[in-house]
Amino acid sequence: MKNLFKDRKPGFYLTLIAACLAVVGALVYLVAYQATADPVTGTVDRVFNWLNFALMLAGGLIALGGEALRLRFVPIVAGACYAIGLARHLVETAYPLADVLTKVPFFGGDPTLAVTFAAVFGLAALIHVVSSFMEHNQVVQ
């Protein structure tokens, strides 16, 4: 464990923050939407999507694993997972926002949860992109 943080640069720590934010955000996403499900039918809010959950969780776990193993190509894979998960969530967020903006409850969905998780997933993706252009390991000569 001591060697995990040895000879690391700021890019590693930003990736670590983004990955933890993505994993925790994905787990809270799952819990929050399952907690707001209809108790009679068990129907979950239309904004929740299992693929978005899986992409954000996988992106975070891939980033953590890649940093632990010091693999240089992992930021691309994790960044793709974050970007696709965020984009899919933003598409689903448009439906409850359309209801709010038109004041017509047509599509349904909780706009507060949708915007909150769009911000969480967006922040994780942004931090990860910034960290991808930074050094992660100190060059040993």
Side-chain angles (χ1 to χ4, degrees):
M1 186 63 152
K2 181 173 43 172
N3 292 336
L4 182 63
F5 296 101
K6 185 177 181 184
D7 299 329
R8 294 299 188 146
K9 289 204 166 187
F12 166 77
Y13 295 106
L14 284 177
T15 300
L16 192 64
I17 290 168
C20 289
L21 184 62
V23 169
V24 170
L27 294 175
V28 172
Y29 175 74
L30 175 67
V31 170
Y33 276 107
Q34 295 301 324
T36 60
D38 187 1
V40 177
T41 62
T43 307
V44 183
D45 190 273
R46 76 169 290 134
V47 178
F48 178 79
N49 190 305
W50 283 103
L51 184 57
N52 299 348
F53 166 72
L55 283 167
M56 293 308 290
L57 185 66
L61 295 176
I62 288 169
L64 289 173
E67 288 298 329
L69 297 174
R70 297 178 188 246
L71 301 174
R72 295 184 54 85
F73 65 88
V74 170
I76 297 169
V77 178
C81 289
Y82 292 151
I84 295 169
L86 173 63
R88 289 180 50 85
H89 182 72
L90 289 176
V91 167
E92 294 299 322
T93 301
Y95 295 114
L97 290 181
D99 288 349
V100 169
L101 293 175
T102 60
K103 297 180 179 62
V104 178
F106 181 71
F107 293 112
D110 187 347
T112 306
L113 282 176
V115 170
T116 301
F117 286 109
V120 170
F121 295 161
L123 186 61
L126 180 66
I127 293 171
H128 182 77
V129 167
V130 169
S131 74
S132 296
F133 290 97
M134 300 173 77
E135 287 293 324
H136 291 232
N137 302 317
Q138 188 171 7
V139 180
V140 179
Q141 296 189 20

